[in-house]
Amino acid sequence: MGSLPGGYWDATGRLHREFELAALTGREEELLVQARQPQTATLVTEVLSRCVRRLGDISPVPSEVARQLLVADRHYLLLQLRRATFGDLVHANLICPWPDCGERVSLDFSLAEVPVEEARHRAPVHTMTLSAAAPSGSGTAAGGCQVSFRLPNGADQEELSEQLAHNEARALTLLLTRCVQRLGSYEPPEERQLAELSASARSEIEERMQQLAPKVEQTMEAACAECGRTIVAPFDIQRFFLGELRTDGELLYREVHYLAYHYHWSEHEIMEFTRDKRRKYIDVLADTIEVLNSGA
Ligand SMILES: [Zn+2]
């Protein structure tokens, strides 16, 4: 049980924040192994709709709802899912970035300590007024004009990730086109009208979005064991989590085969296990086999 730092607004205007998770099983690992085009945001949607058992009074959680969760809420759920599946500690190997140190260090950090900032003001749509200091590009919207928008969500990530890799400015215009619901008298505005906004007007809207959105810290901080100074390293929870899960398929199926062979459980049953649980049984088997071989 937990509570989203932001929350999901359903079509009737109700906010859903409380959630229950189920740890990932072999089924989800298989899904990730089989993903032909590993598009991160799409996989996150799929994993969340399978593992979030309940969100407010929505249960099961359809992928359309997982897709519409705020970016930080999705990150938060991934953090909790990782904790539920593999525990709280993360072990990382990195090079100390301090130039006079540069030692290879391994460090542990706790996911419970990742800073999370709750949304300051919860609403399905926010409204702001562009300052007079933010003139428009070619007259679509002058300073003082009102802008209404929703915050970026998983669907935006899914739609824009490719564009983001090719053309960041275009991706931002598209993001604004998706999120801005009213721009002065344009309701909704067209892509062209948003593209014509001045750079300062665009960044005012972006900044306001960032202020209003909940946040999950995407860096980690730890002390270098060699020089004692603080290391701040990027920590991309989506990549980390999916990378950790993407065991090679061969290994997954070998583990399932091994357990089926020795315990006579069905494939279906074994795939419902978490990875930790599979490996615990494999360890028990290894110990038993060793005892048998040593004749004790
Ligand atoms: Zn160091």
Side-chain angles (χ1 to χ4, degrees), residues 95-98 100-103 105 223-231:
I95 309 279
C96 176
W98 292 96
D100 54 340
C101 175
E103 292 294 324
V105 286
C224 171
E226 294 294 325
C227 71
R229 284 172 297 191
T230 304
I231 300 177

Side-chain angles (χ1 to χ4, degrees), residues 120-232:
R120 289 195 201 153
H121 174 65
R122 290 190 178 86
V125 177
H126 302 274
T127 299
M128 67 179 287
T129 306
L130 288 181
S131 75
S136 69
S138 56
T140 40
C145 109
Q146 284 210 330
V147 183
S148 298
F149 59 85
R150 63 163 176 80
L151 295 173
N153 60 28
D156 302 320
Q157 289 183 303
E158 286 184 14
E159 293 299 321
L160 301 178
S161 65
E162 210 165 300
Q163 190 61 242
L164 200 59
H166 294 117
N167 182 343
E168 209 173 316
R170 174 92 207 286
L172 178 61
T173 301
L174 290 177
L175 179 68
L176 289 178
T177 310
R178 294 174 60 89
C179 293
V180 174
Q181 307 189 340
R182 184 163 69 88
L183 175 68
S185 55
Y186 302 105
E187 191 172 6
E190 290 166 19
E191 186 186 336
R192 179 179 55 83
Q193 286 148 353
L194 287 158
E196 282 171 0
L197 275 178
S198 69
S200 62
R202 286 159 66 109
S203 62
E204 257 188 34
I205 301 173
E206 263 178 84
E207 271 168 35
R208 191 73 190 124
M209 280 181 169
Q210 275 171 23
Q211 281 168 5
L212 288 165
K215 278 164 211 75
V216 174
E217 187 60 49
Q218 298 253 51
T219 57
M220 59 169 184
E221 233 180 83
C224 171
E226 294 294 325
C227 71
R229 284 172 297 191
T230 304
I231 300 177
V232 179

Side-chain angles (χ1 to χ4, degrees), residues 15-83:
L15 180 66
H16 302 263
R17 286 186 63 204
E18 302 295 317
F19 64 82
E20 274 171 48
L21 290 177
L24 269 111
T25 68
R27 289 267 168 244
E28 284 76 42
E29 283 180 62
E30 185 176 42
L31 171 90
L32 295 171
V33 165
Q34 288 173 346
R36 292 245 174 88
Q37 283 190 322
Q39 215 263 34
T40 309
T42 313
L43 286 177
V44 170
T45 298
E46 190 63 34
V47 166
L48 290 181
S49 71
R50 282 162 175 254
C51 295
V52 181
R53 283 274 161 86
R54 181 178 70 79
L55 175 61
D57 26 298
I58 304 169
S59 178
V61 175
S63 31
E64 199 37 46
V65 171
R67 189 170 286 128
Q68 281 174 30
L69 294 177
L70 298 181
V71 173
D73 283 344
R74 286 160 58 97
H75 290 169
Y76 187 75
L77 286 169
L78 283 185
L79 272 185
Q80 304 315 319
L81 200 49
R82 198 288 184 173
R83 295 177 70 197

